[in-house]
Amino acid sequence: MFNKFGSTSETLSKASAVVHRIGTDAHLYDDPEDVNIAPLLDSKFESEKCEALKRLLALIAQGSDVSNFFPQVVKNVASQSSEVKKLVYLYLLQYAEKRPNEALLSINYFQKDLGDPNPLVRAWALRTMAGIRLHVIAPIALAAVGKCARDPAVYVRKYAANALPKLHDLRLEEHASAIEELVGILLNDHSPGVVGAAAAAFTSICPNNFKLIGKNYKKLCQILPDVEEWGQILLIGTLLRYVVARHGLVRESLMLSLHGMDSNGLCEKDGLGRDLTLDKEEDGGKSDSFDVNLVSLVSKCYIEGPDEYLSRSSYTDTVSSAFDSKETTSIAHNEDVKILLQCTSPLLWSNNSAVVLAAAGVQWIMAPLEEVKKIVKPLLFLLRSSSASKYVVLCNILVFAKAVPSLFAPHFETFFICSSDAYQVKAYKLEMLSLVATTSSISSILREFEDYVKDPDRRFAADTVAAIGLCAKRLPTIPTTCLDGLLALVRQESFAGDFESVDGEAGVLVQAVMSIQTIIERDPLRHEKVLIQLFRSLDSIKVAAARAIIIWMVGVYCSLGHIIPKMLTTITKYLAWSFKSEASETKLQILNTTAKVLKSAEADDFQMLKRVVIYVFELGECDLSYDVRDRTRFLKKLLSSKLACHKPAEDSVASQEHIATHVVEHVFGRKLTPFSPLALHNRFYLPGSLSQIVLHAAPGYEPLPKPCSFVFEEQDQLSDLDRQREAAADLDDSRESSETVDDDGSSDYDSESSIGSDCSSDGDERTVSNGVNDPAAPLIQISETSVSADQEELRSKKALDLWLDDQPSTSNQTPSALNSNQSSYAKISIGDIGSRVKPKSYSLLDPGNGSGLKVGYTFLSEVSTVSPLHVCVEVLFENSSAEPILEVNLEDEESMKVADSSEQTLVGKANASYNNVPTLIPMEEISCLEPRQSAKRLIQVRFHHHLLPMRLTLHYNGKEVPVKLRPDLGYLVKPFSMSIEEFLATESRLPGMFEYSRRCTFDDHVKDSRMENGKDKFLSICECITLKVLSNSNLHLVSVDLPVANSLEDATGLRLRFSSKILSSEIPLLITITVEGKCTEVLNITVKINCEETVFGLNLLNRIANFMVEPSSSAS
């Protein structure tokens, strides 16, 4: 009716779509590039920035690469709009790995956002920081997660739990314990949302660290029903693994039903198995009881891994061994098992199908026998209500039904086929019907099967015929009824015409013949007439596979009864007559059958059968198929003695020594052994797992732990030393995570430090004057002085906290009591160390690549006179060849090029005034370097970034060789002299995110030979550590705290402080080294850095920890 307006149904639908999209951002996906995005990103209006960022995200969703906008997007991270900030974070997550250098610029903004009042902003910042997969910022991200794990907002703590697996994927071995500790903290959270995310982190990071679960087990069980659905799945699996690892399997459960069985395989234990079995008289007796061997096999497969399973030599090994009684527990005396079963029972009726399967798996493995049946109705309800998960649910129900068919036998109607079911679902339902069929329900099931056979999907019809055969094999009372129907189906299908596709009608016929064969195998003599009917139907059956099966039965049952042996001559002649027109698979069966018939032939028919066999062999030798020809030659050679004699008995004596006769007996004379499908499909996986669906160990699959493999240690069983170390770690962690500093505590600490500083300054003046005259002056000089009661109380406060729980009365001590415990305090002075510091040398060019020219370089502690950005480097040129080297010089490779933009941005805003400073100050050229001669030159280099090498060009003998001068982080700082009170005041202003530490070992003092000559051990340790630090970095030694303890062998508490400033930004950088351990043993040292430049500070921290572990080149 709208034709007069020129509208059509197509235009109306488009108009309707436009109306529905008004007020949304869906139009951005139509043409995201219809406007210029770059100006919008630089706009001063937040709305235009939002539109530009949304268009960029739309392009990302469509697969476009928009990384060229990275610099413009990054600068918007400082926006005050939460919407702009969120969009910037989403963009950074996409391209941070591709543009790591620019991404590092936004780290400081992330750290600021972690302190934002809005919890959403804090969570977004943490998510983005953890999503930037760069090792260089991983310690920063870990510190941020540690802070957010204690955030008051639930949303932020949940994101902290989600960030832990991302950090774990970076393989940070040195931070593994810290990550696991954070997992334990989040598992102890009171919020269900946080616990669910923490369970996911636990599963991916430390799934076998059951100590974390043991501390919070009851709390986790109580909070389980309130956790989000996907968190419930992981938490259920974690709790199940913990219970099995600590307590083992339950003796009353189905998994241990192998114990207490009678000779008939039925459970006798307190009548617990009565509910799982049907009445023998009504339902067929033993066929409906649960399969003990299969249940034992399932329990073994749940616990052992794939490698252990594949290493088993045979199937009998899977059921031959039972669990040790020490690996089991009783539910009557185990509260943990009771709590687990109680908290998972309500989840059987969850809306999430995966939660239902996980809860059913716990009940299946741990519940007593009489309570296992409670999983049936939830699973059946899930099967009827969830069409999407029907296939997965059926896969798991099938395992339960194979072990205990009686569980689902009363509900057989649930597994009737629906027309809307997929083929895979239909196949599983047919298998279920064949498993749960009983004498009372088989009539209804067979009526259903009659309708299924007529289904247009002939592949499904063939599966139905196979299910009929399985039912007849399981229930011995119905084979006659099934055989009549199968034979009628064979007659009907055999006259349906020729079949070309096995998936169609031919498949039904083949499956019908196979089902008949399965039934006949149980009692061949009873079904002799059925065999005769099949043999007579050979002329009417045209399907090659079906003919091959019947011909195979001719050879197997050729001596059965009295009628079949008399028919062999006629059947063999027919087979020889039809040999030429048969398919290859049928020809192979004809060859085998004629050989079997000849072997068992009677005297009257021997000559006739021999001529027929010879004729068939002659046809086979000329066949086009090489398989048929090879089989013919093989059988002809085996039966050569039979074919050469005239009577069956003539070769009985002569052939006893012939090996071919024994081969013939083995190939054709042995009886058929019962086929067990369990031997081929004896692999089961945990219920609800992907591996159970795909029937192999999927990536990430973990079986249940070994029963009782985890021994939970109570807290009071820990040694005093372990308790002290844990308390010290908690104190350090709490200090790092705190956002504010106690004013009173810092003032006391400063007052103590000022006294030590005054002493140090006096000592400095005396030591310097003496050090000039005496080169052998010691590095550190000590004099003892008493400490006041207030200072001693403050200094011992941390130690008191460590054992406060063991000695409660200590907290009540008076100052007068503390005065009796006064100890000596070490006054520290610094001597002349310039002559003893040996900077490390690096190789710039080896003689092999430099035609005999060897070039090395050493960083100097001198400060450049050109600009604060330059580093002084001493380059050593050495001629190792036999000829002189001319015109040796070093030049900047990119001196005439524009520096890379990314490197320029990394210099930072602080270096803006030095953009015109040259990268390399030209060195004085070496005109000639004679053989075995060396020369030194001083160069001054400005590195663009503390991690990026400087590309230089080495000129000599008219050649140009590119080399790389790699920066040493220890020399990208300069010494910054400060007093101890200034050091502590600066340190107090840099807590939390600007403070990070790392532990390592130190053993140079052990190698110091002077310790054996009566030298003070503390002094030797101080010298070794200081020389090691100053030989690898350009720092200023502020002070050394040397505690004088009762034991002269314990160096614990020794602390060295160093100060410096970053060359490029003049930002202070403080280093504190704390020693722990015995003087004569390898020491554990903790290196702590306080610095606002977190990326630089963390890289320098790793550098210091690495060279502290490295052995010294020579003893000092």
Side-chain angles (χ1 to χ4, degrees):
M1 64 179 182
F2 298 101
N3 293 334
K4 61 182 179 179
F5 298 105
S7 60
T8 62
S9 59
E10 182 180 358
T11 57
L12 288 175
S13 62
K14 291 182 179 180
S16 176
V18 170
V19 170
H20 285 296
R21 296 169 67 172
I22 293 177
T24 67
D25 295 325
H27 65 282
L28 298 176
Y29 287 84
D30 295 336
D31 190 8
E33 295 182 304
D34 60 349
V35 297
N36 194 358
I37 297 177
L40 294 179
L41 290 173
D42 297 330
S43 174
K44 61 181 180 179
F45 300 106
E46 301 294 342
S47 58
E48 294 182 354
K49 293 180 180 180
C50 281
E51 183 180 358
L53 290 169
K54 289 178 181 179
R55 291 181 181 275
L56 288 178
L57 294 177
L59 289 171
I60 293 174
Q62 296 174 1
S64 302
D65 184 9
V66 291
S67 58
N68 55 309
F69 293 98
F70 198 95
Q72 293 174 281
V73 175
V74 168
K75 68 180 182 181
N76 288 312
V77 75
S79 173
Q80 299 301 319
S81 171
S82 60
E83 186 175 4
V84 173
K85 196 180 294 289
K86 178 174 66 174
L87 295 174
V88 171
Y89 285 158
L90 293 175
Y91 180 91
L92 288 176
L93 283 174
Q94 184 70 21
Y95 290 110
E97 292 187 26
K98 296 181 180 179
R99 306 289 290 270
N101 293 334
E102 289 89 339
L104 294 178
L105 296 175
S106 56
I107 296 300
N108 289 334
Y109 291 104
F110 295 154
Q111 294 173 339
K112 292 179 181 178
D113 288 343
L114 289 175
D116 193 277
N118 189 347
L120 293 178
V121 175
R122 298 199 299 272
W124 294 339
L126 179 64
R127 176 192 178 193
T128 308
M129 185 181 294
I132 301 176
R133 307 297 181 88
L134 299 176
H135 285 80
V136 67
I137 67 168
I140 307 176
L142 181 59
V145 172
K147 179 181 179 181
C148 294
R150 301 170 178 87
D151 194 277
V154 175
Y155 191 70
V156 179
R157 299 199 302 273
K158 180 179 178 181
Y159 266 96
N162 292 331
L164 287 175
K166 300 178 182 178
L167 296 178
H168 176 72
D169 291 342
L170 295 177
R171 300 293 186 264
L172 304 174
E173 301 296 339
E174 65 274 13
H175 300 297
S177 59
I179 294 176
E180 293 185 9
E181 182 182 355
L182 290 176
V183 173
I185 293 174
L186 293 169
L187 283 174
N188 193 31
D189 200 275
H190 57 82
S191 171
V194 178
V195 172
F202 176 86
T203 304
S204 60
I205 295 173
C206 50
N208 296 319
N209 189 359
F210 297 115
K211 185 182 295 185
L212 301 178
I213 303 299
K215 298 176 181 178
N216 311 294
Y217 176 76
K218 292 185 178 180
K219 182 178 180 180
L220 292 175
C221 290
Q222 294 172 357
I223 206 172
L224 176 61
D226 299 326
V227 176
E228 61 175 348
E229 294 176 344
W230 299 113
Q232 286 177 343
I233 301 169
L234 298 173
L235 190 55
I236 289 173
T238 301
L239 295 175
L240 174 62
R241 290 170 56 81
Y242 167 77
V243 171
V244 173
R246 183 178 179 186
H247 304 292
L249 297 178
V250 178
R251 284 192 290 272
E252 298 89 351
S253 67
L254 181 67
M255 294 295 103
L256 295 184
S257 59
L258 186 62
H259 303 283
M261 295 296 163
D262 62 5
S263 58
N264 295 326
L266 298 177
C267 185
E268 292 181 334
K269 189 185 298 182
D270 301 332
L272 295 178
R274 294 175 184 173
D275 293 336
L276 294 177
T277 59
L278 299 178
D279 186 80
K280 291 185 180 181
E281 297 179 358
E282 179 183 355
D283 297 331
K286 181 182 172 182
S287 61
D288 292 321
S289 62
F290 60 92
D291 192 332
V292 174
N293 289 339
L294 192 141
V295 170
S296 178
L297 173 62
V298 169
S299 62
K300 287 286 185 181
C301 290
Y302 285 168
I303 291 178
E304 61 189 15
D307 296 336
E308 184 178 351
Y309 168 76
L310 294 174
S311 64
R312 294 201 301 263
S313 57
S314 63
Y315 162 70
T316 56
D317 296 339
T318 61
V319 293
S320 60
S321 61
F323 291 99
D324 188 358
S325 59
K326 298 180 180 179
E327 300 177 351
T328 61
T329 184
S330 175
I331 191 173
H333 306 93
N334 197 308
E335 292 297 327
D336 287 349
V337 177
K338 289 182 180 178
I339 294 175
L340 178 62
L341 294 176
Q342 290 173 1
C343 69
T344 54
S345 294
L347 299 180
L348 289 172
W349 298 101
S350 173
N351 293 328
N352 190 306
S353 56
V355 177
V356 175
L357 286 176
V362 174
Q363 302 290 330
W364 170 256
I365 296 173
M366 303 299 293
L369 278 170
E370 67 272 13
E371 296 183 9
V372 173
K373 60 183 180 181
K374 69 169 61 174
I375 70 173
V376 176
K377 291 185 178 179
L379 290 175
L380 296 180
F381 177 80
L382 184 62
L383 184 64
R384 292 190 295 265
S385 59
S386 177
S387 58
S389 59
K390 187 177 296 185
Y391 174 76
V392 176
V393 176
L394 271 174
C395 288
N396 290 273
I397 291 179
L398 196 59
V399 177
F400 303 152
K402 286 180 179 178
V404 191
S406 57
L407 276 177
F408 299 92
H411 311 278
F412 67 93
E413 294 181 349
T414 306
F415 304 103
F416 285 171
I417 310 298
C418 299
S419 58
S420 59
D421 288 338
Y423 169 75
Q424 292 79 6
V425 175
K426 292 180 179 178
Y428 275 144
K429 283 188 174 182
L430 286 175
E431 189 173 358
M432 280 295 303
L433 289 173
S434 63
L435 285 172
V436 303
T438 61
T439 53
S440 60
S441 61
I442 189 61
S443 57
S444 301
I445 293 175
L446 288 179
R447 284 195 297 269
E448 283 288 319
F449 284 170
E450 289 179 6
D451 293 334
Y452 299 161
V453 172
K454 303 173 185 177
D455 194 272
D457 185 359
R458 304 313 292 168
R459 184 171 58 158
F460 168 60
D463 293 340
T464 304
V465 175
I468 294 173
L470 291 177
C471 292
K473 186 177 180 180
R474 287 188 63 253
L475 302 175
T477 59
I478 64 165
T480 303
T481 306
C482 293
L483 278 175
D484 293 341
L486 291 173
L487 287 173
L489 184 62
V490 169
R491 288 192 294 269
Q492 175 185 350
E493 298 291 340
S494 62
F495 290 104
D498 297 333
F499 310 107
E500 297 180 356
S501 175
V502 178
D503 294 334
E505 298 291 343
V508 178
L509 177 59
V510 172
Q511 198 61 61
V513 175
M514 292 179 64
S515 298
I516 294 173
Q517 171 206 336
T518 303
I519 299 174
I520 292 175
E521 283 180 357
R522 300 192 62 180
D523 191 0
L525 189 60
R526 180 183 175 187
H527 301 101
E528 182 181 3
K529 294 183 179 179
V530 178
L531 287 171
I532 294 173
Q533 293 184 45
L534 285 178
F535 297 163
R536 289 177 176 175
S537 63
L538 269 175
D539 191 29
S540 59
I541 295 177
K542 305 300 181 182
V543 180
R547 290 176 61 84
I549 297 172
I550 297 175
I551 294 171
W552 176 83
M553 287 191 285
V554 172
V556 173
Y557 304 111
C558 60
S559 59
L560 181 69
H562 301 286
I563 302 176
I564 294 179
K566 297 178 181 179
M567 300 173 58
L568 292 178
T569 304
T570 305
I571 296 175
T572 307
K573 289 180 179 179
Y574 169 76
L575 295 178
W577 171 77
S578 62
F579 185 86
K580 295 181 181 179
S581 59
E582 298 288 355
S584 296
E585 57 180 322
T586 309
K587 290 179 181 179
L588 293 174
Q589 288 301 332
I590 291 175
L591 290 171
N592 292 340
T593 299
T594 52
K596 294 177 183 178
V597 169
L598 181 63
K599 178 187 174 297
S600 60
E602 299 178 356
D604 298 339
D605 301 328
F606 181 75
Q607 289 297 329
M608 177 60 69
L609 291 175
K610 186 178 74 171
R611 288 196 295 269
V612 174
V613 170
I614 293 174
Y615 174 72
V616 172
F617 284 173
E618 290 176 354
L619 294 176
E621 288 178 335
C622 302
D623 197 83
L624 296 177
S625 173
Y626 60 85
D627 289 331
V628 176
R629 296 196 301 270
D630 292 344
R631 180 74 60 85
T632 302
R633 297 188 186 99
F634 171 70
L635 294 175
K636 189 174 182 180
K637 189 66 176 177
L638 283 180
L639 300 175
S640 58
S641 59
K642 284 281 186 182
L643 298 176
C645 63
H646 298 283
K647 294 182 180 180
E650 289 183 3
D651 65 328
S652 59
V653 179
S655 62
Q656 286 181 357
E657 300 178 356
H658 201 281
I659 190 173
T661 304
H662 299 285
V663 176
V664 172
E665 280 294 328
H666 181 74
V667 174
F668 300 117
R670 61 195 180 102
K671 296 182 178 180
L672 292 175
T673 57
F675 172 73
S676 176
L678 189 62
L680 293 179
H681 305 285
N682 57 348
R683 195 44 172 140
F684 301 95
Y685 296 83
L686 291 175
S689 63
L690 174 63
S691 301
Q692 183 58 47
I693 309 301
V694 298
L695 294 180
H696 65 80
Y701 174 79
E702 287 289 340
L704 292 177
K706 300 296 181 183
C708 299
S709 59
F710 169 67
V711 179
F712 182 72
E713 297 181 358
E714 300 293 341
Q715 190 69 20
D716 56 352
Q717 295 177 352
L718 298 176
S719 63
D720 293 339
L721 180 60
D722 292 336
R723 185 183 294 110
Q724 291 179 4
R725 289 179 178 176
E726 289 179 3
D730 292 337
L731 288 174
D732 293 339
D733 291 341
S734 62
R735 182 180 177 185
E736 291 178 3
S737 62
S738 63
E739 298 181 359
T740 59
V741 181
D742 191 346
D743 295 335
D744 297 337
S746 60
S747 61
D748 293 341
Y749 192 71
D750 291 340
S751 64
E752 175 200 357
S753 305
S754 61
I755 297 176
S757 176
D758 295 338
C759 299
S760 299
S761 60
D762 297 337
D764 288 348
E765 297 176 0
R766 293 192 299 269
T767 306
V768 169
S769 60
N770 296 334
V772 175
N773 301 327
D774 186 8
L779 174 66
I780 300 176
Q781 297 176 349
I782 304 175
S783 62
E784 297 183 353
T785 180
S786 61
V787 183
S788 65
D790 295 338
Q791 296 170 359
E792 176 62 25
E793 179 183 4
L794 178 64
R795 192 164 67 88
S796 61
K797 182 179 179 181
K798 184 175 181 180
L800 286 172
D801 292 338
L802 298 181
W803 47 274
L804 189 59
D805 295 335
D806 295 338
Q807 299 182 7
S809 60
T810 307
S811 60
N812 300 325
Q813 287 184 359
T814 61
S816 60
L818 289 174
N819 288 335
S820 61
N821 296 327
Q822 288 184 359
S823 60
S824 300
Y825 186 81
K827 177 183 177 183
I828 303 152
S829 60
I830 302 175
D832 182 22
I833 60 173
S835 60
R836 306 168 70 178
V837 174
K838 298 179 180 179
K840 186 177 180 180
S841 298
Y842 301 91
S843 176
L844 189 64
L845 181 68
D846 59 87
N849 297 328
S851 302
L853 178 62
K854 179 181 179 181
V855 184
Y857 63 97
T858 302
F859 288 91
L860 302 179
S861 58
E862 301 176 7
V863 178
S864 173
T865 58
V866 178
S867 77
L869 298 180
H870 282 79
V871 180
C872 295
V873 182
E874 184 181 68
V875 185
L876 176 63
F877 301 90
E878 184 177 352
N879 186 359
S880 302
S881 64
E883 299 179 358
I885 300 178
L886 306 177
E887 299 177 352
V888 182
N889 195 8
L890 268 178
E891 293 183 358
D892 182 14
E893 186 181 89
E894 299 183 353
S895 59
M896 303 303 296
K897 301 177 183 178
V898 179
D900 183 78
S901 59
S902 62
E903 295 181 353
Q904 290 289 343
T905 56
L906 287 171
V907 175
K909 295 181 179 180
N911 302 333
S913 59
Y914 301 104
N915 288 335
N916 297 325
V917 178
T919 302
L920 176 68
I921 305 300
M923 59 168 277
E924 181 183 354
E925 183 181 279
I926 303 176
S927 58
C928 180
L929 198 62
E930 298 295 335
R932 306 303 174 186
Q933 183 183 1
S934 61
K936 293 183 179 180
R937 290 291 185 271
L938 180 66
I939 62 174
Q940 299 183 47
V941 183
R942 178 171 66 92
F943 292 98
H944 293 299
H945 189 257
H946 61 269
L947 296 180
L948 301 178
M950 174 68 62
R951 294 187 179 95
L952 303 177
T953 302
L954 178 62
H955 301 268
Y956 67 94
N957 290 340
K959 299 180 181 179
E960 294 183 359
V961 179
V963 293
K964 289 184 179 181
L965 184 68
R966 301 187 181 277
D968 190 336
L969 290 175
Y971 291 91
L972 298 183
V973 296
K974 61 181 179 180
F976 177 52
S977 179
M978 60 171 57
S979 61
I980 183 63
E981 59 267 19
E982 293 174 344
F983 184 97
L984 295 175
T986 306
E987 184 183 36
S988 65
R989 293 194 299 269
L990 299 172
M993 296 298 297
F994 302 121
E995 180 177 299
Y996 18 86
S997 60
R998 180 175 172 183
R999 294 175 61 87
C1000 62
T1001 59
F1002 183 77
D1003 60 355
D1004 285 8
H1005 65 288
V1006 179
K1007 305 172 185 178
D1008 192 352
S1009 59
R1010 291 178 295 175
M1011 291 184 63
E1012 302 175 358
N1013 300 329
K1015 184 177 181 180
D1016 185 79
K1017 298 177 181 179
F1018 290 99
L1019 183 59
S1020 178
I1021 293 174
C1022 293
E1023 289 182 358
C1024 292
I1025 294 178
T1026 306
L1027 287 175
K1028 192 64 171 286
V1029 172
L1030 297 183
S1031 297
N1032 291 271
S1033 55
N1034 196 13
L1035 305 174
H1036 170 70
L1037 178 61
V1038 178
S1039 67
V1040 178
D1041 294 342
L1042 188 61
V1044 181
N1046 294 331
S1047 175
L1048 298 179
E1049 299 293 332
D1050 192 3
T1052 301
L1054 179 63
R1055 180 173 300 171
L1056 297 88
R1057 295 184 174 93
F1058 300 88
S1059 61
S1060 63
K1061 281 187 176 181
I1062 302 176
L1063 288 179
S1064 60
S1065 58
E1066 294 290 323
I1067 294 177
L1069 186 144
L1070 309 180
I1071 301 174
T1072 305
I1073 298 179
T1074 307
V1075 178
E1076 179 183 355
K1078 301 294 184 181
C1079 292
T1080 57
E1081 300 175 358
V1082 177
L1083 299 175
N1084 293 321
I1085 64 174
T1086 301
V1087 183
K1088 184 185 70 173
I1089 287 184
N1090 295 79
C1091 181
E1092 294 181 6
E1093 288 285 345
T1094 52
V1095 176
F1096 184 90
L1098 282 168
N1099 288 324
L1100 180 59
L1101 176 65
N1102 294 330
R1103 170 75 180 119
I1104 295 175
N1106 290 335
F1107 70 65
M1108 293 298 288
V1109 177
E1110 295 176 357
S1112 298
S1113 57
S1114 61
S1116 54

